[in-house]
């Protein structure tokens, strides 16, 4: 495994917590172009292995590594934060649609969920409140778009 230079974390397996020691065939998991985790050889399922082989053979899993501090890294981080925030909102809306009862929209709770996911993948940049503010603004923009540009 070549560790992703854009990741600030020491590689550890997302399933068992084992720290990468330089041996074995580890997989790097990417989401939205950002490293979100590593899988040690002992915790890889046949599906994980098949996906890695297919991605490697087809180039589908190719992710351009970027250096922290570069404009490309900043753009990848922004895309990841935006995509994770969208994902939290989409999951909430799916729960509303699948629920027999109405559910109240709590933007602060949704922002907390998004920040928790983002912090678990790429960290919070040492400024969790700043990240929370950015996520809340993104959520508000998404909600405004859903309401035809009206502020909610």
């Amino acid at each position: 495994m070549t560790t992703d230079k854009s990741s600030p974390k020491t590689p550890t397996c997302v399933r068992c917590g084992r720290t990468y020691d330089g041996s074995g065939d580890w997989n790097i998991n990417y989401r939205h172009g950002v490293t979100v985790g590593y899988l040690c050889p002992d915790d890889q399922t046949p599906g994980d292995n098949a996906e890695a082989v297919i991605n490697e053979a087809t180039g589908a899993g190719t992710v351009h590594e970027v250096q922290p501090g570069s404009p490309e890294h900043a753009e990848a981080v922004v895309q990841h934060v935006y995509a994770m925030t969208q994902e939290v909102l989409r999951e909430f809306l799916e729960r509303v649609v699948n629920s027999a009862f109405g559910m109240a929209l709590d933007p602060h709770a949704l922002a907390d969920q998004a920040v928790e996911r983002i912090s678990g993948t790429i960290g919070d940049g040492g400024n969790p409140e700043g990240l929370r503010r950015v996520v809340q603004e993104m959520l508000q923009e998404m909600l405004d778009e859903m309401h035809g540009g009206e502020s909610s």
Side-chain angles (χ1 to χ4, degrees):
M1 169 180 83
T2 303
T3 59
D4 182 354
K5 294 169 186 59
S6 68
S7 176
K9 301 178 181 180
T10 301
T12 57
C13 180
V14 295
R15 294 190 180 144
C16 72
R18 175 177 150 196
T19 302
Y20 179 64
D21 62 4
S23 64
D25 194 14
W26 286 56
N27 286 348
I28 302 175
N29 295 330
Y30 295 96
R31 192 158 191 187
H32 315 116
V34 177
T35 300
V36 295
Y38 300 87
L39 281 176
C40 73
D42 295 339
D43 285 318
Q44 294 172 25
T45 66
D48 294 328
N49 289 330
E51 182 180 2
V53 168
I54 291 167
N55 286 343
E56 193 170 318
T58 63
T62 303
V63 175
H64 175 71
E65 289 188 24
V66 294
Q67 295 298 317
S70 71
E72 293 86 6
H73 184 258
E75 179 64 24
V77 168
V78 169
Q79 287 177 357
H80 180 71
V81 169
Y82 190 80
M84 295 295 283
T85 303
Q86 277 185 316
E87 188 175 287
V88 167
L89 181 57
R90 180 187 48 78
E91 289 171 2
F92 170 79
L93 294 173
E94 286 175 358
R95 287 192 308 271
V96 169
V97 168
N98 294 325
S99 171
F101 306 101
M103 297 176 70
L105 175 63
D106 181 354
H108 297 290
L110 293 178
D112 289 343
Q113 289 175 19
V115 168
E116 183 178 328
R117 288 187 192 182
I118 295 161
S119 295
T121 57
I122 61 172
D124 60 22
N127 186 358
E129 287 308 312
L131 177 58
R132 182 169 281 101
R133 278 191 303 275
V134 168
V135 167
Q136 285 174 333
E137 289 173 13
M138 286 180 174
L139 275 168
Q140 189 61 56
E141 289 175 13
M142 291 174 195
L143 292 169
D144 289 347
E145 285 179 25
M146 290 171 52
H147 289 105
E150 299 171 16
S151 186
S152 54

